[in-house]
Amino acid sequence: MQSSYISSTPRVTRNIIIINLIVFVATLINKGFMIENFALFYPKSPYFHWWQIVTHMFMHGNFWHIFFNMYTLYIFGSVVERVIGERKFLLFYFICGLGAAALHTGVEALQAQAMINDVAEGSRKAVESYMQLKMTPTVGASGAIYGILLGYAMLFPDSRLTLIFPPVTLKAKTMVLVFVGIELLTGISGTSDGVAHFAHLGGMLIGYLMIRYWRKKGNLFDRENL
């Protein structure tokens, strides 16, 4: 039964899940090394390396973090990959992840500039906040996966989805709009600290733009799968 689930999962989705699991095990073995080298740090941080814009997508903070991300990828990524094809799905996934990192870092840059201005005015708290920003890692595939969710909702807008909590059923297009509203509200208000809300929004924005572009070009679907 387990092997049938694995073999029936589209290749790109399956391989992304496997790589994430391998990296998670490596993080459990040597968390300090993995976080310092492969999580995403603010570019002014002494821990920043250019490759982190990609590697942070395979890093996760704990079991539930990776579980929900990979479960969501399995459910929705499998469908999207079958519809648009392997190569296009792989590109879609990574571009969404990069877009998430870009928006997240851009928001951090705005926050950092505000802190630097406060430092110039003698704020000790701003110094501490700026140092914390530089030393805080960002991990997770959530940005790319939020892009996948957006893509699914654009492909199947009227399909009905049920949340685990609260147990409500909504059309995919409505549920995604709810997610956008929640992420925007919590990102601006600063609630749910420790969650990269603008990374989620960045992934969804890029996902929306890519699907729109492919539709306009008339080559969204993998004709071999139709």
Side-chain angles (χ1 to χ4, degrees), residues 99-117:
L103 185 58
H104 173 72
T105 302
V107 170
E108 281 189 324
L110 294 175
Q111 294 173 331
Q113 187 57 55
M115 293 171 190
I116 291 171
N117 292 339

Side-chain angles (χ1 to χ4, degrees), residues 66-99:
I66 191 170
F67 173 80
F68 284 115
N69 272 350
M70 294 303 101
Y71 177 74
T72 305
L73 176 60
Y74 169 74
I75 296 297
F76 297 100
S78 297
V79 177
V80 175
E81 182 179 348
R82 289 191 179 101
V83 171
I84 69 175
E86 290 183 354
R87 280 187 279 184
K88 195 171 270 129
F89 178 77
L90 182 63
L91 179 66
F92 184 76
Y93 183 88
F94 277 102
I95 296 298
C96 286
L98 293 175

Side-chain angles (χ1 to χ4, degrees), residues 125-154:
K125 183 178 180 180
V127 174
E128 296 174 356
S129 296
Y130 183 59
M131 292 301 298
Q132 182 179 7
L133 183 146
K134 291 200 299 181
M135 304 304 287
T136 300
T138 298
V139 297
S142 303
I145 290 171
Y146 267 76
I148 298 297
L149 283 171
L150 191 284
Y152 177 89
M154 292 181 74

Side-chain angles (χ1 to χ4, degrees), residues 21-34:
L21 292 174
I22 292 172
V23 172
F24 183 67
V25 171
T27 303
L28 292 177
I29 295 172
N30 193 336
K31 185 174 182 178
F33 174 81
M34 295 296 291

Side-chain angles (χ1 to χ4, degrees), residues 31-48:
K31 185 174 182 178
F33 174 81
M34 295 296 291
I35 293 293
E36 288 179 13
N37 287 281
F38 303 116
L40 178 63
F41 285 88
Y42 183 62
K44 295 288 186 180
S45 170
Y47 293 116
F48 175 76

Side-chain angles (χ1 to χ4, degrees), residues 207-219:
Y208 172 78
L209 293 175
M210 291 184 74
I211 295 293
R212 281 288 302 270
Y213 174 76
W214 282 331
R215 275 182 171 165
K216 186 176 180 180
K217 297 284 287 185
N219 63 351

